[in-house]
Amino acid sequence: MALHIGREIETRYKESGLKLSEFAKRLNTSSRNVYDIFERSEIKTDQLERISKILNFNFFSLFQDSGVQEPTLPYANRKEKSNTISIVVELDGQESTLNQWFQRLAAINKTVN
């Protein structure tokens, strides 16, 4: 089942005990827009980062188990090793995301070599 980020945000919001008006104020938006956020299956990373801070919950961690997996042992156990692996990376413009991918790619490179 696909992750619906708006529902996850709504769940954490309800657990937080914040009033809707206070949550909206901290997000610098209207109460009506908060309800729209709860309905979204996708959200911009900068907005999710703000929501994560307000609700004191790392929503990005929910995406770690949502289907994207890094290659592991199959590359290390091959009898014929290839010198190339093709990986498609989508970046969000954040330096921290780029650094995380560099670390992942370095780990993959160690596994392959």
Side-chain angles (χ1 to χ4, degrees):
M1 187 165 147
L3 175 70
H4 191 287
I5 193 62
R7 289 188 194 123
E8 295 294 334
I9 292 168
E10 183 177 20
T11 298
R12 300 296 172 171
Y13 157 73
K14 288 179 178 178
E15 291 172 356
S16 75
L18 280 174
K19 293 187 181 210
L20 186 67
S21 59
E22 179 62 24
F23 185 52
K25 181 179 176 183
R26 291 183 187 184
L27 273 175
N28 197 29
T29 193
S30 67
S31 296
R32 177 68 214 139
N33 193 43
V34 171
Y35 287 117
D36 290 339
I37 290 170
F38 295 159
E39 296 300 318
R40 293 183 196 162
S41 61
E42 296 179 351
I43 191 167
K44 292 183 178 183
T45 55
D46 60 332
Q47 189 171 38
L48 189 58
E49 183 177 24
R50 284 195 315 269
I51 293 169
S52 291
K53 288 177 183 175
I54 293 167
L55 296 178
N56 196 29
F57 180 81
N58 181 4
F59 288 96
F60 295 96
S61 68
L62 300 175
F63 292 97
Q64 290 177 342
D65 296 325
S66 65
V68 177
Q69 295 182 356
E70 298 174 27
T72 54
L73 291 178
Y75 292 106
N77 291 336
R78 278 200 234 166
K79 292 183 181 179
E80 291 182 28
K81 290 187 180 182
S82 171
N83 290 335
T84 62
I85 297 175
S86 297
I87 298 175
V88 176
V89 176
E90 289 187 35
L91 299 174
D92 59 7
Q94 300 293 318
E95 186 176 346
S96 60
T97 304
L98 182 61
N99 289 335
Q100 288 173 354
W101 276 109
F102 280 140
Q103 291 173 354
R104 289 176 179 162
L105 292 171
I108 292 168
N109 191 42
K110 285 180 185 175
T111 302
V112 172
N113 293 326

